[in-house]
Amino acid sequence: MQLSSVELNKAVIPNTKAVGGEAVEKIALDLMRGETVVKHVDDWTLLKGESLLLPTGSYVVKAYSADKNRMSAGFEGFAYYAGQAEVVVEKNVAKSVEIVCKLVQCMVSVHYSESFKRNFKTYSCEVENHYGTVDFIQDENRAAYFPVADLTATLSLTNTDNESFTLQKMITDVKAQYHYMIKYDVTAGGTGDFNITVDQSTHNYIVTIVVPVTSDAVPNLHTGEANPWGQFAYLYGTSDAGDESEPIVFQYKKTEETVWQTVNAALGDDGVYFAKTGQLEFGTDYHYRLACGVSAGTTNMFTTENYEEVPNLNFDTWVKSGKNWFANPDASDSYWASGNTGVTSFLAGSKDPITVCVEGSEAYRGKAARLSTITGVTLVKSAAGNLFIGSYKTNMSNPSASVSFGRPYTGARPVKLSGYYKYVPCPTNEGSKPSAEELPVDECNIYIRLWDASGKEIGFGEFVGKEEVTTYTRFDIEVVYTDEKAKPAKMTIVATSSRYGGNFEGSSVVGRVGAGSTLWVDEFELSYYK
């Protein structure tokens, strides 16, 4: 095999890097067979004209910019090109390979109209995505290179009245090999406008952003930091305006929208205005500001928390292995867990499982979980029917350590856990805490708990059932947060047929339970708006 040429695709690269038809860019080369690198050179020209004797078979030749990080952003030295070609080596046949390398990033440049320059004394633009940030100082003419991802352009400027403010716009659906030409223009009044035109023949995206000649942000309305949740946000701000003739409100909107939504602001004892937005979308950027009449403060931005699915909340997925039921798509306690494997084992006395799948008339919809309390269990004396997010592994020397509550969770903070349940409590006949006088009849328990990354509990809510309920009834549990700014790192949801069935002393359960107490649960749901 012989490398005949490695060229840059000049048709899609606005500033050609070539001299006399040869690429100036230093291109490395890997000759691959499967996942194995058969040959590597930092400069492909070292193999130019050389014949490589190879075993017959299929190969891939990869060429790419040497000594560069394709995931960095910056000016000239950050351009990254790559290409590859497949070739089949045959016996006694010379194969010539040609590779065309394309720009794998996008280009960005910033331009200003003459009318814009006349209306603003100073200006600069910062363009960023999650790979890096590039500052385009005033009248910077060079183009920068960015790995492909949504771009945010933040314009900082001072007008001829010495008012300083910023304007931020996002460019989405960014593509490789395109030149994004951001052009700033002005309008005589009103709010900024945003327009994108595409010239496919020259691979140019022309992004025109219209900027008001005066800032609409008044200095005595101060927009504070927001506290965004999954489907709502708390907004904060202060005012130095004194006796306002019109009410103070908050305005908010999606980044790409032009119409502001309004919510009345309340004044707290600390002198800070606050409000809660209406229902928002998960994982979405919003702009917001404090306003009074036609006056508005500076615009800030927040992003709502992302939605993260919790598997099998409706309890329709089950697998049975031997005696044991598992509320997962596999025969293990891989997400939801129970104490089934402990009570059905030989060491525990080979009892029937305490948590099983039911359907038909025993379910609210589809399939459901039935949890039953038993007594006479070897070593631990009693076992409450249970189902929880976490893991279970029988620990005979320390049974209370068999259970580990919680799984990683970094999604939006839930504000409510809802579902349906039935419960038949039985008179308590085992355990001492609380006493028989204090707890003559069993109680069920359903709860949710969240922890932050340090292991500190930040949210909790529970439901305690004390009465017999023979038809499925809805429950709603409010999640109360002790720290309303902390983010979750782990979460559990627990259901048990006996509220105190998990209380141990030594190897025995001392929590008071009633043999035969049975809890049915189905169709759990988390809510994120209140």
Side-chain angles (χ1 to χ4, degrees):
M1 185 170 66
Q2 188 176 71
L3 270 295
S4 59
S5 69
V6 174
E7 297 180 353
L8 303 183
N9 186 346
K10 304 176 182 64
V12 296
I13 300 172
N15 54 344
T16 301
K17 289 178 174 284
V19 177
E22 296 293 328
V24 175
E25 187 80 6
K26 185 178 179 182
I27 300 293
L29 186 142
D30 288 338
L31 175 62
M32 310 284 297
R33 187 170 190 180
E35 299 296 321
T36 304
V37 179
V38 178
K39 185 76 173 180
H40 167 83
V41 288
D42 288 333
D43 185 350
W44 83 272
T45 59
L46 298 176
L47 294 180
K48 188 176 182 180
E50 179 182 345
S51 294
L52 299 175
L53 191 62
L54 300 167
T56 58
S58 298
Y59 292 80
V60 174
V61 186
K62 295 183 178 181
Y64 51 92
S65 296
D67 303 321
K68 290 185 179 178
N69 183 352
R70 68 184 296 168
M71 294 304 176
S72 296
F75 289 108
E76 294 92 344
F78 287 80
Y80 192 98
Y81 307 92
Q84 67 181 50
E86 297 183 5
V87 61
V88 177
V89 174
E90 301 174 87
K91 183 179 180 180
N92 297 325
V93 178
K95 288 295 181 75
S96 180
V97 182
E98 178 178 349
I99 303 173
V100 177
C101 293
K102 298 180 180 180
L103 185 70
V104 299
Q105 302 152 305
C106 66
M107 288 180 59
V108 177
S109 58
V110 179
H111 310 273
Y112 306 93
S113 71
E114 290 302 316
S115 59
F116 178 96
K117 294 178 181 179
R118 288 194 297 269
N119 281 281
F120 296 98
K121 296 167 61 176
T122 62
Y123 45 88
S124 64
C125 182
E126 180 185 86
V127 180
E128 65 177 337
N129 62 18
H130 57 264
Y131 293 108
T133 302
V134 176
D135 291 319
F136 293 81
I137 60 174
Q138 188 163 334
D139 294 327
E140 171 65 70
N141 293 317
R142 293 176 298 169
Y145 297 85
F146 284 83
V148 175
D150 291 352
L151 298 163
T152 300
T154 303
L155 178 68
S156 300
L157 64 171
T158 302
N159 63 16
T160 53
D161 294 325
N162 290 318
E163 293 179 312
S164 296
F165 55 102
T166 61
L167 182 71
Q168 188 177 78
K169 295 291 182 181
M170 179 174 285
I171 303 169
T172 59
D173 195 27
V174 174
K175 299 179 176 64
Q177 305 170 50
Y178 278 81
H179 184 184
Y180 291 82
M181 304 173 65
I182 301 174
K183 294 186 175 181
Y184 285 106
D185 203 348
V186 296
T187 180
T191 59
D193 198 6
F194 186 57
N195 181 49
I196 295 179
T197 58
V198 182
D199 186 341
Q200 297 285 5
S201 62
T202 60
H203 294 82
N204 285 340
Y205 269 63
I206 302 172
V207 183
T208 302
I209 301 174
V210 179
V211 183
V213 296
T214 59
S215 169
D216 58 357
V218 297
N220 54 9
L221 293 172
H222 310 284
T223 306
E225 184 177 356
N227 180 12
W229 293 55
Q231 290 191 302
F232 66 95
Y234 294 114
L235 308 179
Y236 301 96
T238 59
S239 172
D240 301 332
D243 295 330
E244 295 87 356
S245 58
E246 298 188 62
I248 296 288
V249 298
F250 283 98
Q251 298 174 338
Y252 64 95
K253 66 180 183 67
K254 288 184 185 178
T255 299
E256 68 275 11
E257 291 179 342
T258 57
V259 178
W260 293 88
Q261 304 296 320
T262 299
V263 58
N264 291 330
L267 184 62
D269 294 337
D270 56 358
V272 176
Y273 285 97
F274 63 94
K276 183 177 75 70
T277 67
Q279 190 163 353
L280 308 177
E281 295 180 13
F282 293 107
T284 302
D285 293 334
Y286 287 86
H287 286 180
Y288 67 103
R289 62 190 183 185
L290 191 67
C292 180
V294 296
S295 301
T298 55
T299 299
N300 287 350
M301 187 175 76
F302 65 83
T303 303
T304 50
E305 297 170 333
N306 291 317
Y307 173 77
E308 183 176 319
E309 183 177 1
V310 178
N312 202 26
L313 273 176
N314 60 5
F315 303 127
D316 281 346
T317 300
W318 293 84
V319 172
K320 189 178 184 183
S321 178
K323 283 187 173 183
N324 294 316
W325 283 97
F326 300 91
N328 299 301
D330 57 352
S332 71
D333 293 321
S334 55
Y335 191 85
W336 289 93
S338 73
N340 276 346
T341 56
V343 301
T344 62
S345 69
F346 173 77
L347 292 174
S350 298
K351 299 287 186 179
D352 289 329
I354 52 177
T355 299
V356 300
C357 169
V358 295
E359 53 188 320
S361 61
E362 281 201 83
Y364 178 77
R365 183 186 300 119
K367 298 177 182 179
R370 185 181 70 207
L371 321 176
S372 302
T373 299
I374 61 174
T375 57
V377 181
T378 303
L379 186 64
V380 295
K381 295 184 179 180
S382 66
N386 58 79
L387 186 61
F388 59 93
I389 295 174
S391 61
Y392 179 89
K393 185 176 181 180
T394 302
N395 186 327
M396 299 304 296
S397 61
N398 183 12
S400 64
S402 300
V403 172
S404 178
F405 291 109
R407 296 277 184 180
Y409 178 83
T410 56
R413 288 167 287 177
V415 298
K416 184 171 66 174
L417 170 66
S418 305
Y420 293 87
Y421 84 104
K422 296 192 299 180
Y423 186 50
V424 176
C426 291
T428 57
N429 64 335
E430 185 72 74
S432 58
K433 295 183 179 180
S435 66
E437 291 75 17
E438 293 173 299
L439 189 72
V441 179
D442 215 346
E443 298 175 350
C444 68
N445 193 200
I446 302 170
Y447 67 85
I448 178 173
R449 179 174 277 119
L450 298 100
W451 300 266
D452 65 13
S454 70
K456 175 186 174 183
E457 181 182 306
I458 61 172
F460 178 77
E462 70 172 340
F463 164 78
V464 176
K466 301 182 179 182
E467 307 294 335
E468 180 175 346
V469 179
T470 57
T471 58
Y472 272 105
T473 302
R474 182 179 174 88
F475 68 84
D476 293 290
I477 301 172
E478 180 186 358
V479 184
V480 178
Y481 287 85
T482 54
D483 185 342
E484 292 208 338
K485 292 187 177 180
K487 302 297 183 180
K490 187 171 72 169
M491 180 177 72
T492 191
I493 298 173
V494 178
T496 179
S497 55
S498 294
R499 182 183 183 186
Y500 299 101
N503 293 356
F504 279 80
E505 283 186 6
S507 61
S508 299
V509 174
V510 296
R512 187 81 178 162
V513 304
S517 295
T518 304
L519 170 67
W520 291 260
V521 291
D522 200 2
E523 299 296 329
F524 280 11
E525 179 184 10
L526 292 172
S527 301
Y528 304 89
Y529 177 73
K530 63 178 180 179

